[in-house]
Amino acid sequence: MPTKPKLLPVQALLVAFTALPALPLSAADSAPTDGEPGLPYVYTKWEQITTKDGLPNDHIFAIKADPTRDCVWIGTEDGLACYNKKTRKISSWKEKDGLPWRVVSGIDVDPKTGDVWLALFGGGLARFSAGRFDHYHQLNSGLVNDVVYGVAVIGDEVWCATTAGASRYNVVKDKWNIYTEQNAPMEEIWNYGVSARDGKVFLSVWGSGILEFDLATERWKHYLDPDGEMEIELYRDDGVVHVITTGVSYVDKTLWVSTYFGACRYDGRNWRGFFAQEGGTPSDFNNAARGRSAHECWYCTDKGIGAIVDFETDTWVVYTMDPDTHEGIAEVRRAGKILKTLRFKQGVPHNYVLWAEFDGNDVWVGTSKGLARAIGEGYYPRLRPLDTQTAGSGSRP
Amino acid sequence: MKRTLEYRPWRQIGCLTVACVVSGLIGIAGDTATHDGSGPQQTLSVAEILKLIDVDAYHVPPLPLMTNKNYARSAADVEPFGAVKPFKEHFLAQMEYTGPGRAIPEPEHVDTVKIGFLGPIMPTVSVATGGKSHEENLGIAMLRGCRLAIEEANAKGGYLKRRVPFELVVRNDNGLWGASGNEIIDMAYKEHVWAILGTIDGANTHIAIRVALKAELPMLTAGDLDPTYIETNIPWVFRCIGDDRQQNYILVDYLFRKLNCHRVAILRSSNRYGRFGVREIRDSARRLGRPIVVEMAHKVGSRDFTMQLDRIQAADPDAIVYWGDGEDAAHALNQIRARGMKQPVVFCDRAVSDEFLKIAGPNAEGVVCGYPWNPDRKDPKLDAFREAFKKRWGVEPDTYASHAYDGMNMLIWAIQTAGLNRAKIRDVLAHRPDPFPGVTGDIPLSAALDDAGEVFLARYENGRWKYYSREDMGIPSGPVIERPRVEREQASIR
């Protein structure tokens, strides 16, 4: 059904600069001592975008950067939005505009066709193409269930994580496959997240850990919590931290996994668990994991963003909002110790974080009370000794 | 209304502990800690809670978070990996909701205050159970309990703040896996219910609570005894009935510590209910050094257990555990006895049903079942409920009806107290300072928001079920160490 996008001006987008006088940026403060690995880039310049700026809803479930259109797609609890980075205008679509269902829980863009695929939380799957929504659901397609949590495009295929199994749709052959306990190693079929890259599809499955599907061989691999117990984590680094997984992100042949019990990383040989009790991540309740590289992953938690920015040195940057002043706060942590705390005019719009999306040097963060763009001027990955850090970005801790 | 920290029914259980509670390690189960998990114990009245949760979208109220020192009152000798100190122990600290929902104002206009009901009330096909659905009798009992609670509340004025009636939004959960998820979404986003009670099948309930979490909607089960329901760390999920873990523990203690069995067999249904229902029995038996000698599964609705019983008989067990539906249980029992097998057979609570008795006939005599409450308890509330239920529906209330009645009353109380705000409804339920006084007994919630009340055994004697506490039957428990495993000098006593 063709729809006309509704263009809304972005009003009063506040760009906050970090030049607060209290920042401890003196060389004496931050200079690495002998053997100190250096410090990470910290995002201190943030834009916040809410319904006041034209978003259809502030509860942000999904974000997808679309570099070819120079825009960002935003899935909310009541509508789809598209933020044009050049014009800073927001287009939005609700059910009255043809969006098949109000809650957009996942988004991916087909790089070949530009089609936007939408996971609809209780409404199936939609393809948004040339201004038209095509609707796929349990009764007209091979979609196994209408409660779709995540969607990922790889090659000609669209993979959906649904509450009753995974669906795989080949858009060229118009062919559907359904994966459940009948034909995949799903102890439970409650799929939660999907990540597809480099010929592999990873599913995070509530009650079944992580499943890996190799597109070339059509074979499954299964990652479960080795201790097999719900109430304990026996060893920190023995595997997936819990059988109930909430998100997965595969990048640089590294797997980043989120759960409501902690988080973990797998490089193909070794596992490493991350828990709040060790002082890195702010919470064990992780809504999603978004890997940027083999070294960096942003965990979206109920107490802010826990970004591990240099895995080898266990260096984290935790982004939160001060609920009293609404200022942004960034803490640089390493091995359980807080190295630096920065405060800036605004940061994440809310501490209940649901999604993050990398967009070049920038990072988009979705919360249950608004969207934010962390502007990565002068961004550098991993760590740098202070004397080699880029000057002028306002992002050195 | 102050929390009564002394209210710890499990303390009575502890009195019976033969292998003595480890001295010097006894803590206070059900304590509350300050917001950051440290500092002195703190208790709040409901009025104080209401004041604290009146926050904007960005603040998290500094509510005291309950901490338990032993998960599910597990005896040390049946704790998993008992010889190892685990890196982390879950479910000991209460989860909090940190989202913005408390700032959502009450709607200006409501005609009714809707509460959702999700349960198996209409027969259909169920992939979860491998064929025809089979839990309608339980679901209808549950629905009747809920309807009665709603009708009674409406007779007293409905939602008192607005003087509008409560309305029950009823949905069937049987069907293909995932159907319950669609129903919860419908209730959350179209019907705009304020809380949901449901359901029974473990698979459907898991699907439902994942949706409830995303939609930020309180969900309470009065009929799903699957231990893993609550073991998900979702701050929106509650249970008001003793789960299968607790029933497993009392049956383990009965079989191994009281009857001194060494060779126990398991016969169970092959669905999720059977698979997860016996998990703690299987694991506990192994941890006690008396592993289950054989475990056999059958399809739901089976009437011929020859293959399973051949294997069980060959293993020569000295007791049999059965876990499945009441009718299947009765047929299995009859075939066990027809073989001349005299071993004690213990059952899950679903055997405590009219269908079981009708089919089992004289074989029912002496049967022992785990049971989540004590219907013989003398309580005017229970008597009044029985009378009202019988008057309304013409039958006696069963366990599903009774717990659903309690669960619905818990939701009604929370809505009356907190108002029309889902997050605040969650808050008052999760932080209520004293156990909810239900017709099934007091319902104290653990840190995991599970029913931490006592469970019982039901024994069929002289034509009626009689209910026994541990104390009544002199059932010993293993040593319950009320100290987190990660803080103990030694992981367990093994």
Side-chain angles (χ1 to χ4, degrees):
Chain A
M1 181 179 169
T3 58
K4 195 187 290 180
K6 185 175 145 193
L7 296 176
L8 291 172
V10 177
Q11 297 169 344
L13 276 183
L14 295 175
V15 180
F17 293 90
T18 181
L20 297 181
L23 292 182
L25 288 174
S26 74
D29 245 5
S30 302
T33 56
D34 286 346
E36 188 173 294
L39 291 169
Y41 181 89
V42 177
Y43 287 89
T44 55
K45 190 188 293 185
W46 294 69
E47 290 176 1
Q48 292 183 358
I49 302 168
T50 68
T51 50
K52 290 176 187 166
D53 307 304
L55 277 183
N57 186 276
D58 278 344
H59 203 130
I60 313 297
F61 280 125
I63 310 166
K64 179 65 187 176
D66 189 347
T68 58
R69 293 185 177 94
D70 204 17
C71 76
V72 174
W73 296 95
I74 303 135
T76 82
E77 196 171 28
D78 193 11
L80 171 71
C82 184
Y83 175 79
N84 185 312
K85 293 200 290 186
K86 273 186 188 157
T87 64
R88 294 195 164 192
K89 286 186 174 174
I90 292 175
S91 312
S92 68
W93 297 264
K94 290 199 172 192
E95 286 179 275
K96 63 181 171 55
D97 304 309
L99 182 67
W101 173 241
R102 55 178 283 176
V103 187
V104 180
S105 42
I107 307 174
D108 204 0
V109 177
D110 187 331
K112 282 200 301 186
T113 63
D115 289 351
V116 181
W117 289 90
L118 307 172
L120 302 174
F121 188 55
L125 174 72
R127 174 171 57 192
F128 189 44
S129 180
R132 191 180 89 168
F133 289 100
D134 295 315
H135 190 196
Y136 304 86
H137 52 81
Q138 283 176 252
L139 302 179
N140 75 352
S141 71
L143 188 68
V144 64
N145 189 271
D146 284 346
V147 182
V148 186
Y149 285 91
V151 61
V153 178
I154 183 165
D156 295 331
E157 296 178 354
V158 180
W159 283 72
C160 300
T162 91
T163 204
S167 284
R168 173 191 188 186
Y169 177 46
N170 187 305
V171 296
V172 174
K173 297 176 182 170
D174 193 25
K175 180 189 171 192
W176 290 84
N177 291 96
I178 289 174
Y179 298 104
T180 66
E181 84 286 2
Q182 303 285 331
N183 57 352
M186 291 183 193
E187 292 195 3
E188 309 294 357
I189 58 173
W190 311 316
N191 287 236
Y192 222 7
V194 57
S195 175
R197 188 179 280 195
D198 301 335
K200 291 180 187 295
V201 176
F202 290 87
L203 298 167
S204 56
V205 186
W206 178 292
S208 204
I210 298 295
L211 297 186
E212 173 186 329
F213 185 80
D214 188 302
L215 290 168
T217 63
E218 301 260 323
R219 286 191 176 162
W220 291 95
K221 203 170 172 183
H222 201 186
Y223 303 96
L224 286 170
D225 180 4
D227 63 52
E229 298 294 335
M230 299 293 280
E231 67 265 42
I232 57 168
E233 174 65 0
L234 191 62
Y235 298 111
R236 188 190 67 184
D237 300 333
D238 61 356
V240 175
V241 300
H242 204 274
V243 74
I244 294 175
T245 55
T246 61
V248 60
S249 186
Y250 182 62
V251 56
D252 290 351
K253 300 192 184 307
T254 300
L255 200 58
W256 300 93
V257 178
S258 60
T259 82
Y260 295 141
F261 303 82
C264 55
R265 173 191 186 269
Y266 180 56
D267 62 9
R269 186 176 179 87
N270 296 304
W271 287 88
R272 169 69 155 85
F274 307 114
F275 296 88
Q277 68 198 59
E278 294 193 303
T281 180
S283 172
D284 289 333
F285 190 93
N286 296 279
N287 287 308
R290 302 293 292 157
R292 192 175 210 168
S293 69
H295 309 285
E296 180 171 347
C297 178
W298 287 42
Y299 287 106
C300 307
T301 87
D302 65 339
K303 293 185 176 71
I305 285 274
I308 180 165
V309 291
D310 187 59
F311 168 73
E312 279 72 13
T313 58
D314 194 24
T315 303
W316 295 71
V317 182
V318 173
Y319 295 97
T320 56
M321 171 214 238
D322 183 330
D324 291 326
T325 64
H326 290 205
E327 288 177 320
I329 303 172
E331 283 183 355
V332 182
R333 304 177 179 185
R334 179 172 299 142
K337 290 182 181 170
I338 297 175
L339 303 181
K340 294 289 175 192
T341 301
L342 304 181
R343 295 182 79 93
F344 29 94
K345 189 172 178 184
Q346 63 181 18
V348 290
H350 198 279
N351 287 329
Y352 197 89
V353 183
L354 290 158
W355 196 254
E357 169 76 359
F358 302 108
D359 184 13
N361 287 344
D362 295 350
V363 187
W364 294 84
V365 174
T367 78
S368 56
K369 194 67 181 170
L371 173 74
R373 177 189 192 180
I375 298 167
E377 286 174 5
Y379 166 79
Y380 58 87
R382 304 191 69 184
L383 309 174
R384 279 187 188 174
L386 185 68
D387 54 1
T388 62
Q389 285 175 331
T390 308
S393 70
S395 302
R396 295 170 301 159
Chain B
M1 193 159 45
K2 290 285 183 186
R3 176 185 171 81
T4 53
L5 275 180
E6 290 71 28
Y7 179 84
R8 294 174 208 116
W10 45 93
R11 281 302 177 83
Q12 296 163 0
I13 299 164
C15 296
L16 283 166
T17 303
V18 166
C20 80
V21 174
V22 176
S23 71
L25 295 180
I26 300 172
I28 302 172
D31 292 349
T32 56
T34 49
H35 187 55
D36 62 358
S38 61
Q41 304 297 321
Q42 187 183 357
T43 59
L44 297 175
S45 67
V46 171
E48 289 169 325
I49 291 169
L50 289 173
K51 198 172 174 186
L52 281 179
I53 62 178
D54 189 18
V55 294
D56 66 15
Y58 304 97
H59 283 84
V60 179
L63 294 163
L65 301 177
M66 182 186 290
T67 57
N68 294 141
K69 297 186 176 180
N70 179 304
Y71 177 58
R73 304 192 308 277
S74 304
D77 52 4
V78 299
E79 287 175 337
F81 297 99
V84 180
K85 187 183 287 191
F87 175 77
K88 191 173 194 304
E89 194 172 4
H90 306 303
F91 316 128
L92 294 183
Q94 185 173 1
M95 297 296 293
E96 59 184 337
Y97 166 63
T98 62
R102 297 178 184 90
I104 300 171
E106 274 208 20
E108 288 185 6
H109 177 81
V110 286
D111 293 320
T112 61
V113 173
K114 294 181 178 180
I115 302 177
F117 171 90
L118 185 68
I121 52 174
M122 288 182 283
T124 180
V125 172
S126 171
V127 171
T129 54
K132 182 183 173 299
S133 59
H134 60 105
E135 290 170 337
E136 290 78 46
N137 56 332
L138 311 181
I140 288 167
M142 205 163 79
L143 177 59
R144 286 173 168 172
C146 288
R147 280 210 190 284
L148 181 62
I150 292 279
E151 288 166 4
E152 288 179 352
N154 284 338
K156 292 174 188 167
Y159 177 54
L160 298 173
K161 193 172 169 186
R162 303 279 191 92
R163 289 286 168 185
V164 293
F166 288 101
E167 178 185 347
L168 198 62
V169 178
V170 179
R171 293 286 186 273
N172 189 46
D173 85 333
N174 255 333
L176 295 174
W177 275 32
S180 53
N182 294 331
E183 299 296 356
I184 298 284
I185 281 170
D186 185 71
M187 287 196 273
Y189 291 108
K190 291 181 179 171
E191 296 286 355
H192 301 291
V193 301
W194 297 101
I196 294 175
L197 186 142
T199 179
I200 294 173
D201 176 77
N204 285 334
T205 314
H206 265 286
I207 286 168
I209 61 175
R210 285 167 16 118
V211 176
L213 168 65
K214 291 274 184 195
E216 302 193 348
L217 184 60
M219 180 150 180
L220 182 149
T221 188
D224 177 12
L225 278 60
D226 175 355
T228 66
Y229 162 81
I230 211 78
E231 294 170 346
T232 47
N233 262 358
I234 298 178
W236 294 88
V237 166
F238 303 82
R239 174 156 50 202
C240 68
I241 184 169
D243 69 5
D244 281 342
R245 178 186 285 272
Q246 295 304 320
Q247 285 194 45
N248 276 199
Y249 283 169
I250 195 170
L251 287 171
V252 162
D253 292 342
Y254 175 70
L255 289 170
F256 295 106
R257 301 187 209 270
K258 181 172 173 63
L259 300 185
N260 198 25
C261 295
H262 281 75
R263 299 177 57 79
V264 172
I266 291 176
L267 176 62
R268 64 168 175 85
S269 59
S270 59
N271 61 357
R272 185 184 169 83
Y273 176 67
R275 184 160 51 101
F276 276 83
V278 298
R279 184 172 163 163
E280 296 306 322
I281 292 177
R282 184 199 308 124
D283 289 348
S284 297
R286 188 180 67 250
R287 289 164 193 157
L288 290 170
R290 305 175 189 188
I292 298 298
V293 291
V294 60
E295 178 176 337
M296 299 299 297
H298 67 81
K299 281 193 172 180
V300 173
S302 290
R303 292 296 173 261
D304 181 2
F305 300 90
T306 304
M307 188 267 285
Q308 290 88 351
L309 293 179
D310 281 349
R311 304 276 172 83
I312 289 173
Q313 194 166 23
D316 190 25
D318 44 25
I320 299 170
V321 173
Y322 178 84
W323 219 268
D325 286 353
E327 286 187 37
D328 295 356
H331 287 291
L333 176 64
N334 288 345
Q335 290 173 42
I336 288 168
R337 296 300 182 229
R339 287 169 173 251
M341 297 168 70
K342 308 283 188 198
Q343 297 94 331
V345 186
V346 301
F347 295 84
C348 59
D349 62 298
R350 288 191 184 181
V352 184
S353 67
D354 292 341
E355 293 84 8
F356 176 86
L357 295 177
K358 191 175 167 187
I359 297 165
N363 287 329
E365 185 65 23
V367 154
V368 169
C369 308
Y371 211 63
W373 66 301
N374 178 8
D376 283 346
R377 203 181 77 262
K378 298 299 173 201
D379 183 344
K381 289 194 306 290
L382 177 57
D383 295 339
F385 163 67
R386 279 203 175 110
E387 192 179 330
F389 192 93
K390 201 167 177 182
K391 186 176 173 188
R392 177 66 177 88
W393 302 110
V395 292
E396 290 282 344
D398 68 0
T399 188
Y400 289 86
S402 306
H403 284 88
Y405 179 79
D406 278 348
M408 188 53 65
N409 275 320
M410 288 172 74
L411 295 180
I412 290 168
W413 170 83
I415 292 169
Q416 299 278 27
T417 304
L420 300 183
N421 177 292
R422 290 171 177 172
K424 291 180 177 178
I425 292 166
R426 185 217 82 91
D427 285 342
V428 297
L429 271 177
H431 295 275
R432 186 188 157 103
D434 54 347
F436 187 85
V439 298
T440 59
D442 284 349
I443 301 169
L445 296 181
S446 68
L449 305 180
D450 205 358
D451 184 345
E454 191 176 4
V455 296
F456 297 80
L457 290 183
R459 187 159 65 193
Y460 197 68
E461 298 172 3
N462 303 316
R464 67 177 292 263
W465 291 105
K466 284 195 69 177
Y467 300 90
Y468 297 95
S469 67
R470 280 178 179 271
E471 193 173 14
D472 295 334
M473 290 186 93
I475 301 170
S477 163
V480 177
I481 304 174
E482 295 200 3
R483 186 171 186 180
R485 291 183 61 184
V486 295
E487 294 176 10
R488 297 180 200 163
E489 288 296 316
Q490 189 181 330
S492 78
I493 61 165
R494 268 179 277 172

